[in-house]
Amino acid sequence: MTAHSHRSPAAAGDAQRRYDVAVVGGGAAGLGGALALTRARRSVLVIDSGAPRNAPADGVHVYPGHEGTPPAQLLATARAEVTGYGGEITTGTVVAAGRRGPGGFRLVLDGGAVVEAARLLVTTGLVDELPPVPGLAERWGRDVLHCPYCHGWEVRDTPIGVLATGPLAVHQALLWRQWSEDVTLFRHTAPEFGDEEYEKLAARGVSVVDGEVTGLEVTGDRLTGVRLAGGRTVPRRALATATRLTARADFLDGLGLKPAEQEVGGQVIGTAIPADPTGATAVPGVWAAGNVTSPTEQVVGSAAAGVRAGAAINADLIAEETGRAVAARRAAGAPPAAADTGAGTGAGEF
């Protein structure tokens, strides 16, 4: 079934729009899945809140063919590709999701619009919950950073700070050391490190500063230092920090699908919707892809996960449609189909 309409979802009380697949979330994962599905001639609606996680970043990195592309430009191009194949995109936030009979789902958007779909692909991503240090949020994605593979090159060879938030802090500092010889680990409120950890840091020339971080020093529009509780300021050009990665998935409560805590190296890093390698969740008919199910995935991986999920959803729909066709054929009294040898049909000819 090909989607050519670009109407908005029906408002409450109007005739409800029905789709093969509703994609909740319009980032790289959602648009990757939508592209695979629209090219498979499925009717697809992408519901996007318009608040991408990477909006503050100057560019998308480690994405072959798109290195340094501004996030908004990458999304605009992908949106045009999806609508070019007949997909629909609407701005909105899904506030509730439930079953529609035995074979579909009903979504309610903020504002009251209602959407029905045979399958759901959830690609709503996550929210970065920053440590409660004044000034971090204002500099987030600019010179307060989280991923060295995303931002390390841009701050290479500059004084970099790492704000400790848990057991992974030493690993994080050693990782950032690859991009600069001047790395300082601020222990902040983290527990005391062990002797082996201090030895590793010393061996790599990473200095450790005790004391709680209370704010940032900014000159003009640029980070220049990290301020400690005692009043001391340590000059830094960038500050790396881990965030709590919380899945945007509250609307799935009505389907009994809840995020699970994610742990790395003994530290809970956030929550995610459990899913298998194809993106299938514990709820039949619901797939998930991107950061909502894989919190540490980068943009290129999220796009690939969306495509995999889209292909899996299409295969699932084909299996269901084939089952209905077989049942209808049998109900019509058609005899069992004999094997076709291809004789006289031109089979095998070019």
Side-chain angles (χ1 to χ4, degrees):
M1 180 178 181
T2 306
H4 293 296
S5 171
H6 297 275
R7 293 175 291 173
S8 298
D14 294 340
Q16 296 168 356
R17 298 299 318 285
R18 292 179 175 82
Y19 299 85
D20 290 332
V21 185
V23 180
V24 188
L31 294 172
L35 189 59
L37 287 159
T38 53
R39 284 179 53 83
R41 309 185 72 180
R42 294 295 178 184
S43 60
V44 177
L45 175 68
V46 178
I47 305 165
D48 183 29
S49 68
R53 179 191 178 201
N54 62 356
D58 291 332
V60 172
H61 299 290
V62 201
Y63 194 149
H66 300 284
E67 175 60 33
T69 301
Q73 180 181 325
L74 188 69
L75 292 181
T77 300
R79 280 172 162 246
E81 291 167 347
V82 169
T83 57
Y85 286 107
E88 299 179 36
I89 299 175
T90 190
T91 301
T93 300
V94 176
V95 296
R99 283 283 185 186
R100 179 185 65 82
F105 301 91
R106 183 177 186 271
L107 303 177
V108 179
L109 280 62
D110 54 342
V114 174
V115 173
E116 293 185 353
R119 300 290 186 273
L120 296 184
L121 174 54
V122 179
T123 59
T124 43
L126 54 81
V127 175
D128 289 285
E129 297 181 2
L130 287 158
V133 174
L136 289 189
E138 291 78 6
R139 310 301 304 174
W140 179 242
R142 300 160 69 188
D143 37 35
V144 173
L145 312 168
H146 73 296
C147 171
Y149 298 102
C150 302
H151 305 289
W153 177 264
E154 284 64 39
V155 296
R156 67 194 184 281
D157 298 327
T158 66
I160 298 172
V162 177
L163 181 67
T165 58
L168 294 177
V170 172
H171 167 75
Q172 190 179 14
L174 293 172
L175 192 61
W176 279 93
R177 173 61 180 79
Q178 176 64 23
W179 281 266
S180 175
E181 295 182 355
D182 185 356
V183 175
T184 296
L185 175 57
F186 295 92
R187 194 160 67 84
H188 190 42
T189 57
E192 184 70 69
F193 305 134
D195 291 342
E196 185 177 348
E197 293 175 308
Y198 274 117
E199 184 178 24
K200 290 178 179 178
L201 293 167
R204 290 292 282 159
V206 176
S207 59
V208 178
V209 172
D210 289 329
E212 185 174 350
V213 172
T214 58
L216 306 179
E217 294 288 342
V218 178
T219 302
D221 190 30
R222 155 172 200 167
L223 176 68
T224 55
V226 175
R227 189 169 59 251
L228 300 170
R232 176 189 172 196
T233 296
V234 180
R236 294 291 91 182
R237 171 65 182 83
L239 180 64
T241 183
T243 61
R244 179 178 172 83
L245 309 172
T246 302
R248 293 173 172 167
D250 289 347
F251 69 96
L252 294 173
D253 285 352
L255 294 173
L257 195 55
K258 295 183 179 297
E261 285 193 339
Q262 302 292 295
E263 184 176 305
V264 175
Q267 178 176 348
V268 175
I269 64 169
T271 61
I273 295 295
D276 74 9
T278 72
T281 72
V283 176
V286 180
W287 274 255
N291 288 143
V292 74
T293 187
S294 181
T296 59
E297 192 64 85
Q298 297 184 55
V299 176
V300 62
S302 291
V307 172
R308 283 196 301 272
I313 291 170
N314 185 56
D316 189 55
L317 285 167
I318 287 173
E320 181 180 273
E321 291 158 354
T322 302
R324 288 200 300 264
V326 168
R329 188 175 189 277
R330 290 173 179 172
D340 186 350
T341 63
T345 65
E349 297 180 5
F350 294 90

